[in-house]
Amino acid sequence: GGGGGGGGGDGSGDVAYLREQLAQKDRELERKNARIDQLESSVADVTDRLREPNWPLPCFKVCHHDINGEVKEPALNRLTKIAYATWLMEAAAATWSILSMLIIYFGGDQGHYVKYASGRNQVAILFLCIIFNGACIPLSFYYWYYGLYTRNRKMEGTPSLLYWWWFWNMFLAFAWSVLYASGIVPGAWGWVSAFKFYSADAEVGDSDSKKKLFGTLTLFAGILWTVVALGQFYVLVRMYRWYKGSGGRNVEQTDVVKGAARAAGSSEAGPLLAGAAAQGYQQG
């Protein structure tokens, strides 16, 4: 009886020892994982600093841009190319809007056409068009396209909050394109402005050919902005579906899975192994 009690006492000590060893191994594993994460972050920072600018022109390099070389995921690679084509179309639409405004302003009756089409002060509309469309090109590149490019390049290294920040910027860009395509905001040429030019009566002045020319300019601007809005909507929807699907797991979601696995290892595997060891000791 005493020997059995002593055996039981030794078994309890072995179980406690095994639990302590497992807990120590778990702490060491966590320290190693933290060190690995730190090293990976440092390598990523160094890699970003070593990326030499190569875009947009050889004589004017602003940032590094290489879709095929940096966006490895096939689905994201195609989506990034579509987004890039959409941004190029947006830059063309903004440029065309400025040129159309200048032609209509200086080609008409001292800006009378601008006031007729927009219903506001023609000089103010001219400056608004130049400012809004001129700022649209760099801002749209940085906030929605290059943001998408960066997130698709890093993929699992991007926190969830940055993805949602991009979704918000992309939605604003899409809404902006819809307003510009409609032509109902100051400084924008679109479908409404084209309709006003084509339906203009003799009170507007100048010849019918000039009115048709101005209407064609604004109509083409409306078509360009419509194509941009459709492209942005497609990119927004496809990116949202990818993010919500299995391919959209980001670093935070991955960390949750890893943390759950480590927690399972420390909270469940430890007692199970200790119990198995105790059972084997008792059987021995």
Side-chain angles (χ1 to χ4, degrees):
D10 293 339
S12 300
D14 290 340
V15 170
Y17 174 77
L18 288 173
R19 288 181 176 177
E20 178 62 27
Q21 288 295 314
L22 288 173
Q24 183 178 356
K25 293 291 185 181
D26 186 64
R27 290 192 293 268
E28 292 178 358
L29 181 61
E30 289 181 354
R31 286 195 296 268
K32 290 180 180 179
N33 288 335
R35 179 58 178 169
I36 292 174
D37 293 339
Q38 183 180 1
L39 291 175
E40 289 179 349
S41 179
S42 300
V43 170
D45 293 339
V46 172
T47 303
D48 286 341
R49 287 195 294 268
L50 293 178
R51 296 168 67 247
E52 296 182 358
N54 62 350
W55 187 93
L57 298 173
C59 59
F60 183 69
K61 302 176 182 179
V62 178
C63 63
H64 187 85
H65 186 260
D66 183 12
I67 298 176
N68 290 330
E70 294 191 318
V71 183
K72 303 299 183 180
E73 175 68 25
L76 294 181
N77 185 283
R78 292 191 298 269
L79 185 61
T80 305
K81 289 180 178 179
I82 295 175
Y84 184 55
T86 302
W87 178 82
L88 290 177
M89 183 68 70
E90 183 173 5
T95 304
W96 182 265
S97 297
I98 295 177
L99 293 177
S100 300
M101 175 64 75
L102 294 175
I103 293 173
I104 294 173
Y105 182 85
F106 292 104
D109 183 14
Q110 297 298 319
H112 181 68
Y113 276 100
V114 176
K115 184 177 181 180
Y116 171 77
S118 300
R120 298 174 178 86
N121 183 274
Q122 56 267 31
V123 178
I125 295 300
L126 173 65
F127 281 102
L128 286 176
C129 175
I130 295 175
I131 293 173
F132 286 167
N133 287 282
C136 172
I137 298 175
L139 292 179
S140 62
F141 177 83
Y142 179 78
Y143 279 104
W144 80 260
Y145 169 70
Y146 204 66
L148 174 68
Y149 175 84
T150 302
R151 281 140 188 75
N152 289 348
R153 176 174 64 87
K154 295 182 178 181
M155 202 164 58
E156 291 186 355
T158 303
S160 178
L161 182 60
L162 292 182
Y163 269 106
W164 288 107
W165 173 247
W166 177 85
F167 283 126
W168 170 248
N169 288 331
M170 189 62 186
F171 176 77
L172 293 180
F174 168 70
W176 180 272
S177 298
V178 171
L179 290 176
Y180 260 60
S182 65
I184 60 177
V185 296
W189 294 126
W191 297 99
V192 174
S193 302
F195 176 77
K196 288 184 178 181
F197 277 123
Y198 281 124
S199 61
D201 52 25
E203 295 180 0
V204 179
D206 287 336
S207 62
D208 290 337
S209 61
K210 184 172 289 189
K211 286 183 287 187
K212 291 180 180 179
L213 171 63
F214 295 163
T216 303
L217 292 175
T218 56
L219 177 62
F220 189 67
I223 294 174
L224 287 176
W225 282 110
T226 301
V227 174
V228 171
L230 292 175
Q232 290 174 336
F233 181 76
Y234 176 82
V235 172
L236 181 63
V237 172
R238 295 297 299 177
M239 193 63 191
Y240 179 77
R241 289 179 178 177
W242 179 88
Y243 176 80
K244 297 298 290 183
S246 59
R249 290 181 180 175
N250 50 66
V251 66
E252 291 182 355
Q253 293 169 318
T254 304
D255 286 344
V256 170
V257 175
K258 290 181 178 179
R262 284 196 294 265
S266 60
S267 61
E268 297 179 5
L272 288 175
L273 291 175
Q279 183 178 2
Y281 179 84
Q282 291 176 357
Q283 290 177 353

